[in-house]
Amino acid sequence: MSTLIRHDKHLLGLKRLPKSELEAILNRATYWASVPSKVSNAFQGSFVANMFFENSTRTRFSFEIAEKRLGAEAINFTAAVSSVQKGESIHDTVHTLESMGIDAGVIRLKPSGILEELAESIHVPLINAGDGNNEHPTQALLDLYTIQQHFGQIAGLHVAIIGDILHSRVARSNLWGLQTMGASVSLCAPNNMQAPELLPYAPYVSMEQALQADVIMMLRVQLERHDQGMIRSAEDYRKHYGLTEERAAKLAPHTIIMHPAPVNRNVEMDDAVVDHKRSKIFTQIKNGVPVRMSVIERALS
Ligand code: CP
């Protein structure tokens, strides 16, 4: 029984999260977005460790704000100034913080495939803040929230995810979450940035077809994860797969533009498109706080 309870409170990914759970998280985020007071004392006395083994701005700080708005104590762990530098493993680091009495952990990892195993041996709820190219569930949740907020519903919409699918945990979590919520998803990427294992789940389409979608979700070209020579040049990528001003001008009037950020300006998206009237990039960032409040509440409740 205790195992079941622990696993219900982890949030490792959206692939197997039922629609009822997604809806509950999104509904609660709507509540937190509507609460006028900045800080509640709902979780006073609870400690949440933000354990980032890879760099972050949006995810890390919005989790910290979310925790503080819920009255919890946020403990910030940064691998670069920790005993990880002396060779301590991820497991020993998380186990150490658990032994000190944290109530939940938010964790971002460079490698994929170790979080599930880690979660089996850790007794406090773990929230995946991005693991390798596997999943980034809270990014996808805030994306779902943003789409729902704009269109009123997700079911029936066509979402095109465009760019570096191969290296993208955002693409994977969105694919799972969007399909569970009833959207149809198309993928669009250069041949060497396609993820073949996703083919059974969503078709790869041309850029022209992708730009017909209701939601254009652009991805960052993850240069830090590339082997040499994956793109010929930034200009070449922009020409074939970038959301240029010219392409943005031809989108249907109801189409919205999204990007998880940070943006490689003038590579996957033109500078002017970042602030386009239909760009939701800063709305996505804003929505990260109530969505992560909902996720932290689920873990601590
Ligand atoms: N979108 C996102 O995960 O951004 P950070 O890497 O800054 O957290």
Side-chain angles (χ1 to χ4, degrees), residues 55-60 108 136 139 169 260-262:
N55 296 345
S56 167
T57 299
R58 278 146 288 271
T59 312
R60 177 176 165 164
R108 171 170 286 193
H136 192 348
Q139 176 67 47
R169 52 197 178 208

Side-chain angles (χ1 to χ4, degrees), residues 52 54-62 108 129-130 136 138-139 142 169-170 220 259-262 285 292:
F52 281 73
E54 191 188 58
N55 296 345
S56 167
T57 299
R58 278 146 288 271
T59 312
R60 177 176 165 164
F61 286 98
S62 60
R108 171 170 286 193
H136 192 348
T138 60
Q139 176 67 47
L142 72 89
R169 52 197 178 208
V170 175
R220 187 168 68 86
H259 190 302
I285 294 168
R292 290 180 171 120

Side-chain angles (χ1 to χ4, degrees), residues 14-20 22-23 26 135 140-141 143-144 147 154-161 170-187 197-204 217:
L14 299 193
K15 191 166 186 181
R16 285 179 287 275
L17 206 66
K19 188 175 178 191
S20 56
L22 286 175
E23 285 175 337
L26 299 180
E135 286 233 28
L141 284 165
D143 293 339
L144 294 176
I147 294 169
I154 297 166
L157 293 173
H158 175 206
V159 181
I161 307 178
V170 175
R172 285 165 177 78
S173 285
N174 266 293
L175 174 60
W176 312 133
L178 283 162
Q179 288 188 333
T180 302
M181 294 299 287
S184 84
V185 180
S186 299
L187 306 173
E197 82 276 10
L198 299 181
L199 257 175
Y201 302 99
Y204 282 93
M217 189 176 284

Side-chain angles (χ1 to χ4, degrees), residues 9 57 64 78 88 100 179 243 245:
K9 289 188 168 193
T57 299
E64 187 172 346
T78 308
E88 190 164 36
M100 291 176 188
Q179 288 188 333
L243 189 58
E245 278 189 81

